């Protein structure tokens, strides 16, 4: 992947979820919901639009939890990524 997010943006590779329940029922894609965890693959430099310096609290390789409907999805090399603002990251999984 070759993308550099700007400002306080974070690029996340969402975790994949099974499309089958424990009892064997296959769930359609629309009912599965969007994953809320993933791995950070790129971060911006932290500068805000107003010129104020914002320190990045997450780094490449961090496993994070993020707001369910935040950001924008995009596809590169047959993988779907999410780009969000750092403020939409709820926490880092250790």
């Amino acid at each position: 992947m070759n993308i550099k997010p700007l400002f306080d943006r974070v690029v996340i590779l969402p975790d994949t979820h099974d499309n089958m329940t424990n009892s064997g029922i296959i769930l359609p894609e629309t009912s599965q919901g969007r994953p809320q965890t993933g791995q950070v693959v790129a971060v911006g430099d932290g500068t805000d639009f107003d010129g104020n310096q914002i320190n990045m609290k997450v780094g490449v390789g961090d496993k994070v939890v993020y707001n369910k409907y935040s950001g924008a999805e995009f596809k590169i090399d047959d993988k779907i990524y999410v780009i969000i603002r750092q403020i939409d990251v709820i926490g880092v999984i250790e």
Side-chain angles (χ1 to χ4, degrees):
M1 185 195 62
N2 192 12
I3 185 168
K4 173 69 174 157
L6 301 176
F7 308 111
D8 65 335
R9 302 292 197 279
V10 178
V11 179
I12 299 173
L13 178 61
D15 291 338
T16 57
H17 293 274
D18 293 332
N19 62 348
M20 187 178 297
T21 65
N22 291 337
S23 60
I25 298 172
I26 297 175
L27 299 171
E29 191 172 319
T30 55
S31 71
Q32 292 176 27
R34 189 163 152 199
Q36 293 179 297
T37 60
Q39 184 173 4
V40 176
V41 295
V43 295
D45 61 9
T47 304
D48 194 6
F49 286 111
D50 297 330
N52 298 324
Q53 183 66 30
I54 295 175
N55 295 326
M56 298 302 285
K57 304 291 184 187
V58 297
V60 174
D62 286 348
K63 177 94 170 175
V64 297
V65 179
Y66 58 94
N67 286 326
K68 188 171 188 173
Y69 296 107
S70 59
E73 290 185 349
F74 61 96
K75 188 175 184 178
I76 295 178
D77 299 330
D78 295 327
K79 291 185 182 179
I80 295 177
Y81 296 90
V82 177
I83 189 164
I84 63 173
R85 295 191 68 177
Q86 179 177 238
I87 198 166
D88 293 321
V89 174
I90 300 169
V92 177
I93 300 171
E94 296 181 345

